[in-house]
């Protein structure tokens, strides 16, 4: 597969970079193959690949609905790394053939950013909306989070808007404006004097920290702030570059992302045996890492598989009714068909187990069969074969002794499952065995009551 030879080999890396750049120049909407390629490239660990892939994504989101869908998936990802890649693409979005459609797209992302409080996404969306709405409407937006994100982009010549922002009723907005003054070519004098007289010391302290003591234009403001009645403001005004207010250097600690990236490489290198590549996470029942891996997986079908497995991790700790619901939810995340046998086999195992846990009578148990889907190999497949044999051995005329013999065989099977099967196959099989054992016991009880009467 494409991702296998990327790491440590500059020639394939350069080839992937060229593929990413070429995707941005395709004149038509992406076809399924091109979209699949983009999905992989934007999740490559190398910045030499994912950055041009994000550029291709952003440059087309204004008119290519498939690019826009991919961008929405990135922005909605629970993985911060993938969201940041989506934000990078969002920075490059520009009006295309359908500016109103793009504006509606940005408006939806704005609502999401405000609702979630995602400051990074909010900043990227506001930058995009400035193209459509201008700064005035955003600075006057009724939502303080939007105004706070917009004021940082006000220009020096927009004195009226700067003054409006300096008098905003929200402390958050005034602090956002004060924090940007050091980044401006020149200090907006009227707005700065307004901020210096702000009644909230947090605004004045932020202003003191933002002003550059090397800038002669900042001297009168800093001098006034050094005389401020609030001690925190005075401290901020007197702090220099070598002050204790500066955070000390923190030794580099390896990010957990590196571990997830290593697992993703192993998964991508063995797509036909995904459960074996993920055994370390499955045995630890590490649902959060599996969910994060689902966001970073370069193959969409493997991503779906990781998403399903993350849902299955608590299976062994749930009550039977909740466990069945959990399996159904996981099944809903798997594609109906996949070119990867490992994905097909997990889906077949889930289908068979869900149907097996729904038996309510001995007749239901006798009618059960694994199904025509591709069955998994190894111990999980052997368990399904044993269950099919137990079902077939009963027949329509099963008597009490037949049911008791089947129950004993189930107990023996449970022992082997708990000893030999890994997760999640172990929890799924135990759930089926428990459901069948209870069903058989009800059948035996019914026979006994009939005999007594």
């Amino acid at each position: 597969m494409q991702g296998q030879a990327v790491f440590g080999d500059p020639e394939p890396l350069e080839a992937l970079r060229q593929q990413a750049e070429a995707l941005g120049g395709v004149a038509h909407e992406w076809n399924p193959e091109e979209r699949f390629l983009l999905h992989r490239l934007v999740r490559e660990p190398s910045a030499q690949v994912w950055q041009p892939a994000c550029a291709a994504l952003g440059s087309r989101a204004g008119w290519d609905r498939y690019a826009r869908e991919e961008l929405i998936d990135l922005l909605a990802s629970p993985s911060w790394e993938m969201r940041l890649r989506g934000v990078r693409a969002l920075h490059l979005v520009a009006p295309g053939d359908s500016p109103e459609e793009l504006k509606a797209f940005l408006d939806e992302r704005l609502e999401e950013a405000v609702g979630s409080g995602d400051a990074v996404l909010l900043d990227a969306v506001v930058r995009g909306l400035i193209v459509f709405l201008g700064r005035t409407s955003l600075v006057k937006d009724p939502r303080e989070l939007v105004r706070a994100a917009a004021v940082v982009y006000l220009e020096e010549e927009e004195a009226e808007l700067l003054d409006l922002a300096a008098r905003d009723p929200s402390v958050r907005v005034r602090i956002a404006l004060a924090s940007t003054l050091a980044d401006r070519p020149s200090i907006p004098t009227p707005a700065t004097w307004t901020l210096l007289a702000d009644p909230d010391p947090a605004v004045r302290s932020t202003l003191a920290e933002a002003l550059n003591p090397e800038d002669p234009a900042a001297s009168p403001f800093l001098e006034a702030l050094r005389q401020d009645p609030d001690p925190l403001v005075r401290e901020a005004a007197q702090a220099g570059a070598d002050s204790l207010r500066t955070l000390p250097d923190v030794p580099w600690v390896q990010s957990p992302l590196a571990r997830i990236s290593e697992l993703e490489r192993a998964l991508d290198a063995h797509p036909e045996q995904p459960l074996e590549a993920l055994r370390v996470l499955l045995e630890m029942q590490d649902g959060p890492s599996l969910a994060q891996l689902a966001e970073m997986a370069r193959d969409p079908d493997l991503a779906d598989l990781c998403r399903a497995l993350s849902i299955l991790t608590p299976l062994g700790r749930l009550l039977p009714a909740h466990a069945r619901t959990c399996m159904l939810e996981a099944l809903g995340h798997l594609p109906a068909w996949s070119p990867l046998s490992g994905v097909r086999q997990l889906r077949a195992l889930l289908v068979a187990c869900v149907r097996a846990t729904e038996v309510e009578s001995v007749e239901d148990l006798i009618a059960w069969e694994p199904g025509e889907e591709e069955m998994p190999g190894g111990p999980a497949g052997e368990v399904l074969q044993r269950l099919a044999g137990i079902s077939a051995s009963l027949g329509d005329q099963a008597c009490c002794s037949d049911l008791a013999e089947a129950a004993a065989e189930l107990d023996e099977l449970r022992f082997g499952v708990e000893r030999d099967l890994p997760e999640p196959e172990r929890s799924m099989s135990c759930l089926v065995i428990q459901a069948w054992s209870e069903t058989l016991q009800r059948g035996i009880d019914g026979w006994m009551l009939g005999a007594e009467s």
Side-chain angles (χ1 to χ4, degrees):
M1 298 183 73
Q2 289 174 331
Q4 294 179 28
V6 169
F7 305 94
D9 194 339
E11 187 173 347
L13 192 65
E14 174 62 20
L16 291 178
R17 185 190 66 78
Q18 292 176 3
Q19 286 181 326
E21 292 180 347
L23 281 175
V26 175
H28 55 260
E29 286 189 336
W30 282 332
N31 59 38
E33 291 77 15
E34 290 161 341
R35 184 175 176 179
F36 174 83
L37 179 59
L38 183 281
H39 182 96
R40 291 186 60 83
L41 294 175
V42 84
R43 286 167 173 78
E44 285 288 341
S46 172
Q48 296 181 52
V49 178
W50 69 254
Q51 287 183 0
C54 286
L57 189 61
S59 66
R60 300 172 64 87
W63 59 274
D64 186 335
R65 68 181 184 276
Y66 298 116
R68 195 175 304 133
E69 289 172 2
E70 286 290 332
L71 180 52
I72 290 173
D73 288 344
L74 286 177
L75 294 173
S77 171
S79 166
W80 62 266
E81 172 70 16
M82 293 301 109
R83 286 202 307 278
L84 288 178
R85 295 186 186 189
V87 166
R88 183 181 181 91
L90 188 59
H91 284 170
L92 301 171
V93 169
D97 297 332
S98 306
E100 288 304 316
E101 187 176 352
L102 178 57
K103 180 182 177 299
F105 161 74
L106 291 173
D107 283 337
E108 291 174 1
R109 306 288 81 71
L110 185 65
E111 290 295 334
E112 292 172 2
V114 171
S116 64
D118 190 331
V120 176
L121 176 58
L122 181 63
D123 176 78
V125 176
V126 165
R127 285 174 60 176
L129 281 171
I130 286 174
V131 176
F132 294 97
L133 305 178
R135 295 176 178 85
T136 301
S137 62
L138 291 170
V139 170
K140 295 181 179 180
D141 193 279
R143 297 161 293 190
E144 68 167 353
L145 284 175
V146 176
R147 300 198 305 276
V151 296
V152 303
Y153 295 109
L154 291 176
E155 306 289 350
E156 278 66 29
E157 62 270 16
E158 296 173 308
E160 183 178 344
L161 289 178
L162 285 166
D163 188 60
L164 179 67
R167 301 176 187 277
D168 194 281
S170 168
V171 173
R172 183 195 296 269
V173 175
R174 303 199 302 274
I175 287 177
L177 178 64
S179 68
T180 67
L181 295 182
D183 301 324
R184 298 178 181 276
S186 61
I187 296 176
T189 304
T192 305
W193 281 116
T194 301
L195 292 171
L196 188 142
D198 195 281
D200 195 305
V203 177
R204 305 196 303 275
S205 176
T206 302
L207 177 64
E209 292 177 330
L211 290 170
N212 182 5
E214 304 296 327
D215 184 357
S219 296
F221 303 110
L222 286 172
E223 185 60 33
L225 290 164
R226 293 187 185 105
Q227 309 302 319
D228 195 278
D230 190 288
L232 290 178
V233 178
R234 295 197 302 271
E235 181 189 358
Q238 293 165 359
D242 299 325
S243 162
L244 291 177
R245 294 178 62 87
T246 302
L247 291 175
D249 291 334
V250 178
W252 169 254
V253 178
Q254 185 182 21
S255 168
L257 186 65
R259 176 171 170 265
I260 298 297
S261 297
E262 183 178 347
L263 286 167
E264 196 283 330
R265 293 197 292 271
L267 179 65
D268 199 60
H270 302 91
E272 298 301 331
Q273 296 179 313
L275 296 184
E276 299 309 316
L278 300 174
R279 284 303 178 198
V280 61
L281 295 181
L282 294 172
E283 287 300 328
M284 293 170 60
Q285 298 185 356
D286 189 352
S289 291
L290 285 165
Q292 187 173 9
L293 189 58
E295 301 302 316
M296 298 180 63
R298 285 167 285 176
D299 190 304
D301 284 5
L302 292 176
D304 289 338
L305 178 135
C306 290
R307 204 165 284 116
L309 291 173
S310 72
I311 295 170
L312 292 173
T313 51
L315 196 63
R317 305 188 297 273
L318 299 177
L319 295 173
H322 294 162
R324 285 193 291 271
T325 301
C326 183
M327 287 199 298
L328 282 170
E329 183 182 354
L331 187 59
H333 283 281
L334 292 173
W337 185 86
S338 170
L340 303 178
S341 63
V343 178
R344 296 196 303 270
Q345 290 179 8
L346 178 62
R347 190 179 195 282
L349 178 62
L350 266 172
V351 169
C353 288
V354 166
R355 291 178 55 248
T357 59
E358 292 174 345
V359 298
E360 296 181 351
S361 65
V362 173
E363 290 74 20
D364 291 340
L365 190 152
I366 294 172
W368 178 86
E369 56 184 23
E372 298 179 356
E373 296 89 351
E374 178 181 354
M375 287 295 110
E382 293 174 6
V383 169
L384 291 178
Q385 291 175 6
R386 289 281 300 275
L387 291 171
I390 293 172
S391 172
S393 67
L394 291 173
D396 295 334
Q397 305 298 323
C399 61
C400 186
S401 61
D402 294 330
L403 299 182
E405 184 176 343
E409 190 172 352
L410 278 176
D411 287 339
E412 180 185 347
L413 180 59
R414 183 199 302 271
F415 177 77
V417 164
E418 292 177 343
R419 181 192 61 198
D420 299 332
L421 255 66
E423 290 291 351
E425 297 99 313
R426 179 168 60 233
S427 292
M428 294 165 62
S429 299
C430 284
L431 185 65
V432 172
I433 293 171
Q434 179 180 348
W436 282 31
S437 296
E438 292 173 354
T439 299
L440 288 172
Q441 188 58 52
R442 287 195 297 271
I444 293 171
D445 292 343
W447 271 96
M448 297 298 292
L449 286 174
E452 291 176 0
S453 62

